[in-house]
Structures are given as structure tokens and as C-alpha cells.
Amino acid sequence: MKPPVFEYHRPRTVPEALAVLAEVGHDGKVLAGGQSLVPLLNMRLAAPRHLVDVNWLAELDEVARDDGGVRVGALARHARVEHDRDAVEAVPLLGQAIADIAHTTVRNRGTVVGSLVHADPAAELPAVLVLLGGTMELASAGAGPRRVAAADFFLGPLESALRPGELATAAWFPAPPPGSGSAWVEVARRHGDYALCGAGALVELDQDLRVRSARAALISVGPVPVPVELTDAVGGQPHDAADWAAAGRLAAAAVDPEDDIHATAAYRRHLAGVLTARAARAAAAHAAARLGEGAG
Ligand SMILES: Cc1cc2nc3c(=O)[nH]c(=O)nc-3n(C[C@H](O)[C@H](O)[C@H](O)COP(=O)(O)OP(=O)(O)OC[C@H]3O[C@@H](n4cnc5c(N)ncnc54)[C@H](O)[C@@H]3O)c2cc1C
């Protein structure tokens, strides 16, 4: 099928883009990588009257590391972030999770910020932003810039806190504290498919390699990413002999998945437990290895 008729806008600067978005309001959609929006248009599941193509806004094409973390501009593609050494050194979870997004061709076009705004409950990056406690940077012609914490940004399936007329200009991913490690694991029916369930984990160890804190965030088991605090199950335990299965049970109890054509709710709940245990164990091993490198 072909998309419904729309008017195409190609602003050259961010202020120009904001002016167009303010003018078209509810009738407008930003076009970034097009990897989610174009299929929706072609299937006529979305019918905006105006498309505002932001691919010419060079000022949004940045991946910048500083002491606190990594700022990803709205035009940075998944592949660029995945292969940016500085970015994945500061925030390894970015590289770990992006590697599981779709296929290379999709990662070459799709943007990190577009994936966050799209707010698919099966997408990896919303969970990464929630797990790290990151922030979205939004701009509009009328109200100016504002920041929204990840915990407040994802409102429901394909629903974020972005308002009509707003442009998401960047996402901020804070670097985890020293002594931390991370991991991403997921199960999909075929390589590159959206996950039936996925889990990211962040584990911080103390100098004796005991677990100081552990938490996870899960996808495809609820309308938005599900953060789960795991420290109660494994806090104070040695990283290589902690009760990761107990951590998994916390996650399985925290999620509330539904049956659908891909999997039963019971199977997804089972996966939530198994994958959280696996991700948290791998994150602890990652933390221990990084502490070892630091000491060496
Ligand atoms: C075959 C296939 C498999 C895929 N598998 C996965 C997967 O496993 N995991 C995964 O996470 N994703 C997957 N995706 C989606 C992919 O990651 C998309 O790139 C991403 O979801 C959207 O990014 P985009 O830049 O393409 O956004 P677009 O498709 O251009 O836009 C998506 C939505 O976000 C809005 N938007 C985008 N950027 C902005 C902005 N800066 N400000 C305001 N609004 C904005 C658009 O208006 C639109 O509503 C897959 C896509 C395909 C085609």
C-alpha cells in the first residue's frame, strides 16, 4: 500500500523545524530514520497531514561524551552510536543493547532518539534510558526547551510525553558509577525480530567484588519498560556466587505481561525471570572484569 497524501517539509535549521511543527501542531509528524513511521504510513495506521523531515538538521547529528555520560543528538543513527568507541566505553549498555536492534540496514537508518520517541514496548532503548535514569531533551517554538526524565517519558505503547509541536533534540544517557557492569539479553523468534522478552541489567560491585546494587529493566512484558530493583535478592553477596535466580524471581513477580499471537503471558513471565537472572549475572561479571582492568 501507499501512504495517504501528506505535505512534505524540509527545514534547514532547528528554529525553522520548530516553526513548522508549531504551525502544523497535531497534524504533523517528525520524519527521522523512517524505519517505524514509513511502515505505519504505508499500512495507513498513521495519517499525518504534514511530515517534517529532520534529516537535514546537521546540528542534531552528534554523539558527545563528557564526564557525566553520553548525549545522543536526534540525527545519530543506531549504528553510529553502536560503533562510537567513546560512547560505548562510557555507557557500555548502549552498545550491548543496540546490537540486538533489528538488522544492520535498519540500524544504519533508524535513530536512537526516534526509537525513544516511538516508545515501542518491545524496543530496547527505552529500557536502556529507564535503567540508566536518563533524560530526554525536547524543544518547541512556544515553550522553549524542556527535559523529561526517562521515568516520566514513556506513558504507554507508542505513547510518550512528547507534545504536539515538539521536537526531541537529544537523549542523555548517564554513565554508570565506577565498579558497575551491564549486560543486555533477549529472546526473539528470529534473529533481528522484536524480542518476546528482553532484559538489561546494571550491577555495581564494591572493592571486595560483592554486589552493592543491582537493577534491571525489561521489555515486551508491559506497556512501557519495567524497571525492577534486585538489590534485596543479591546485595552484599559475592559477584560470582550471588543468588541470581532469586533476582530473576523478583523480576518475574514484577511484570504483568499479556497473551498475544507471539507468546502466552506465562511464557513471557518465565522469560522475564530467566533473562533477568542471566543479564544480572553477566553484568556482575562485566563489573568484575572492569574493576580488574582498572586495578591492572
Ligand atoms: C524490520 C525492522 C525491524 C525492527 N526491529 C527493531 C527492534 O528489534 N528493536 C527496536 O528497538 N526497533 C526495531 N525497529 C525500529 C527501528 O529501531 C526504528 O529505527 C526506530 O523505532 C525509530 O527510529 P527512526 O529514526 O526510524 O524514527 P521514525 O520512523 O522516523 O519515527 C518514529 C516515530 O518517532 C517520531 N520521531 C522520530 N524522531 C523524532 C524527533 N527527533 N522528535 C520528535 N518525534 C520524532 C516520528 O514522528 C514517529 O512518530 C525495527 C524496524 C524495522 C523496519
Side-chain angles (χ1 to χ4, degrees), residues 170-221:
W172 162 252
F173 296 88
S180 302
S182 59
W184 182 270
V185 293
E186 65 178 50
V187 167
R189 287 168 68 93
R190 294 172 308 188
H191 171 69
D193 279 4
Y194 279 102
L196 291 176
C197 179
L202 197 59
V203 174
E204 187 185 351
L205 303 180
D206 63 20
Q207 286 305 320
D208 299 326
L209 300 185
R210 288 176 179 274
V211 177
R212 179 172 284 152
S213 68
R215 61 179 190 275
L218 291 107
I219 61 169
S220 292
V221 286

Side-chain angles (χ1 to χ4, degrees), residues 149-161:
D152 302 321
F153 189 70
F154 303 103
L155 304 181
L158 307 189
E159 192 189 352
S160 76

